[in-house]
Amino acid sequence: MRALRLPWVFVLAGLVVLGAGCKRESSRGADAPLRLGFFPNITHAQALVGHSEGTFASEPGVGKLEVKQFNAGPAAMEALVAGSLDVSYVGNGPAINTFLKAGRELRIIAGAVNGGAMLVTRTAKSAAELKGKKLATPQLGNTQDIALRYWLEQQGLNTQLDGKGDVQIVPLSNSDILVQYLRGGIEGAWVPEPWGTRMLMDPGGGGQILVDEKTLWPEGRFPTTVVVTTRKVLETQRPRIVALLRAHVKLTERWKQEPETFATQVNTAFGKLTQKPLAAPILQGAFSRLEPSLDPVPSALSTAAKHAQELGFIPSSDISGLVDLSALEEARKP
């Protein structure tokens, strides 16, 4: 397989940022708010509801809470290692990249959502028909970007970071992906929900699901969203992290017990952020592909790391020490 080699300045930049972040973090006072990151995707369902309904902020032990919204994983992970974020919902790709590139400081402390990512195409009904076409992902190096590039390589189609190659891949925000798809500016995209279902069902959309990512994984299980923090935050703010995870567990259990009600609550929160709640068929279609899960599926993380290494995004696939579920276990105790 031909690998995509990233300039090593990416790695060096990450380490520099980490060092700068440690200095800023040490200057924060004891009463500083806990800073939580998430994205306006329904694959961040617990974060959407927990923020909208105040579940996190009202959980005893969390204390002051500051919530920050991001478009995709790399930006959130940059904030985490820079010390301007304490804990975040994020995809497995940026979590693995950051762990390996920023001194193995990042920790996955819980699973959140499995499934809910796919490649939607307007006309192409096979990998071969993608040659010469333009596809999009939410951000270079994010979970869906790595999934798309690896799948294309497996189909014998190469890609380049400068947009050249058999298939051109452009990074766009999820909302811009939808706009470009509806306008015919791109052939398709590998995206998380609800954006995939919106590409299919919004007026002017259509096409087909060329790849539902769950079909590529054993038993269809792979982590789309996990909860992460840093080793230092876990050590210095552990009681608050445990309290936050306690709220995360409650939200996950609500979803499992009352999926239709929880989906409606997610849609209400999503509508507040985007000013456009999802139509009922889109909400139903998107949620049908999601699985609430506290298990980050470590075996799938190892496989994803190998994929990223083969593409040249990371220098190693050794992610020993990345997953630390001790705080989650503490949060689940009666």
Side-chain angles (χ1 to χ4, degrees):
M1 175 183 296
R2 181 170 54 183
L4 297 166
R5 295 300 174 193
L6 283 177
W8 277 97
V9 67
F10 276 38
V11 180
L12 296 174
L15 295 174
V16 169
V17 166
L18 175 63
C22 291
K23 292 179 181 177
R24 282 195 291 273
E25 187 173 324
S26 63
S27 64
R28 301 185 75 229
D31 60 345
L34 186 70
R35 299 159 301 182
L36 169 67
F38 77 106
F39 317 155
N41 300 332
I42 65 169
T43 49
H44 288 217
Q46 294 97 324
L48 285 166
V49 175
H51 173 45
S52 176
E53 296 186 355
T55 312
F56 295 127
S58 63
E59 180 67 31
V62 171
K64 294 181 180 177
L65 182 69
E66 180 180 342
V67 180
K68 300 184 177 184
Q69 181 179 318
F70 296 85
N71 174 63
M77 294 303 90
E78 182 178 342
L80 191 75
V81 298
S84 57
L85 195 66
D86 297 312
V87 58
S88 183
Y89 288 77
V90 72
N92 66 66
I96 293 169
N97 291 351
T98 304
F99 175 75
L100 292 173
K101 292 180 179 178
R104 308 176 80 87
E105 289 288 308
L106 184 136
R107 295 290 183 271
I108 291 178
I109 55 176
V113 179
N114 292 340
M118 56 187 179
L119 171 60
V120 176
T121 56
R122 179 176 296 281
T123 61
K125 297 182 179 179
S126 68
E129 293 178 21
L130 289 173
K131 191 169 185 177
K133 301 287 180 60
K134 181 191 293 186
L135 301 176
T137 59
Q139 190 168 354
L140 173 64
N142 91 322
T143 305
Q144 288 76 44
D145 188 68
I146 292 171
L148 173 58
R149 293 179 189 276
Y150 184 80
W151 180 80
L152 288 171
E153 290 276 356
Q154 295 298 299
Q155 309 308 309
L157 298 169
N158 70 74
T159 63
Q160 301 295 329
L161 297 179
D162 60 4
K164 298 179 180 178
D166 293 329
V167 180
Q168 181 183 3
I169 299 178
V170 295
L172 296 170
S173 68
N174 287 314
S175 58
D176 286 339
I177 285 175
L178 178 63
V179 170
Q180 288 300 315
Y181 183 75
L182 297 179
R183 291 177 177 173
I186 56 175
E187 164 62 24
W190 197 300
V191 286
E193 293 288 12
W195 304 100
T197 301
R198 289 194 64 181
M199 291 168 68
L200 293 168
M201 302 182 69
D202 267 15
Q208 56 274 311
I209 301 173
L210 188 58
V211 181
D212 185 334
E213 190 173 339
K214 72 178 182 181
T215 64
L216 305 178
W217 294 91
E219 301 180 353
R221 299 187 76 238
F222 68 101
T224 309
T225 307
V226 294
V227 184
V228 303
T229 185
T230 64
R231 178 189 57 80
K232 184 171 184 177
V233 170
L234 200 55
E235 289 178 355
T236 60
Q237 303 193 63
R238 187 178 184 89
R240 301 178 75 185
I241 294 297
V242 170
L244 187 81
L245 287 177
R246 194 177 301 121
H248 174 67
V249 170
K250 292 176 181 176
L251 291 161
T252 304
E253 292 303 319
R254 276 174 57 187
W255 184 356
K256 291 180 179 178
Q257 294 169 7
E258 300 179 3
E260 293 184 3
T261 300
F262 194 78
T264 300
Q265 294 163 345
V266 170
N267 199 27
T268 299
F270 181 78
K272 287 181 181 177
L273 294 176
T274 64
Q275 309 304 314
K276 190 175 182 179
L278 301 170
I282 293 177
L283 182 68
Q284 183 178 8
F287 261 85
S288 70
R289 301 183 182 89
L290 304 181
E291 175 199 3
S293 176
L294 297 172
D295 176 12
V297 197
S299 60
L301 293 171
S302 296
T303 300
K306 292 175 183 176
H307 293 175
Q309 183 187 24
E310 290 186 31
L311 290 169
F313 277 93
I314 52 178
S316 166
S317 60
D318 176 12
I319 58 171
S320 55
L322 169 61
V323 178
D324 182 349
L325 301 182
S326 61
L328 176 64
E329 293 169 359
E330 191 173 337
R332 300 183 74 174
K333 291 180 179 177

